[in-house]
Amino acid sequence: MSQTSTYTVTGMTCQHCVASVTEEVQEIPGVENVEVDLATGAVTVTSAESLDDAAVAAAVEEAGYSLA
Amino acid sequence: MSQTSTYTVTGMTCQHCVASVTEEVQEIPGVENVEVDLATGAVTVTSAESLDDAAVAAAVEEAGYSLA
């Protein structure tokens, strides 16, 4: 069974930003799917197991953005 | 001798946008240097010969943006 978590990312301004965040979060082990809504900053992550929020925060920062 | 032309590009919101525009404009034959100011949208192009404005417009559009 998969689980879904939603985070809010600040600072994304365009589809390039969306692509950067998606790419970094997808690299977290166990992540199955990442959906980003540019308008709201909502990043919905589907994973096999419970996600480590710190890993998500680190991935978002690696892309150059921050969690709200 | 090189010549410099400045264009205004609309729609760039972040450094990814700047990189996309820079990359496409740099591919125009004869272009030696491209500088982009994100805040103003100013794109300054240095080229060996006079630039074809239509080629610049096409490159900017290829990147996903428009000349003002």
Side-chain angles (χ1 to χ4, degrees):
Chain A
M1 205 180 93
S2 297
Q3 83 160 46
T4 298
S5 306
T6 300
Y7 302 83
T8 301
V9 172
T10 59
M12 296 186 297
T13 55
C14 73
Q15 290 301 330
H16 296 115
C17 301
V18 169
S20 294
V21 169
T22 302
E23 191 177 316
E24 290 295 338
V25 175
Q26 266 172 346
E27 285 177 3
I28 300 170
V31 166
E32 295 171 345
N33 190 55
V34 180
E35 287 183 20
V36 178
D37 184 309
L38 174 59
T40 62
V43 176
T44 304
V45 186
T46 305
S47 56
E49 297 171 19
S50 187
L51 271 180
D52 178 359
D53 288 349
V56 175
V60 167
E61 277 161 30
E62 178 69 25
Y65 307 90
S66 302
L67 289 186
Chain B
M1 207 180 89
S2 297
Q3 83 161 45
T4 298
S5 307
T6 301
Y7 302 84
T8 301
V9 172
T10 58
M12 297 186 295
T13 55
C14 73
Q15 290 301 329
H16 295 116
C17 301
V18 169
S20 293
V21 169
T22 301
E23 191 178 317
E24 289 295 338
V25 175
Q26 265 171 345
E27 285 177 4
I28 299 171
V31 166
E32 295 172 345
N33 190 53
V34 181
E35 287 184 20
V36 178
D37 184 308
L38 174 58
T40 62
V43 176
T44 304
V45 186
T46 306
S47 55
E49 297 171 19
S50 187
L51 270 181
D52 178 357
D53 288 349
V56 175
V60 167
E61 277 161 31
E62 178 69 25
Y65 306 91
S66 302
L67 289 186

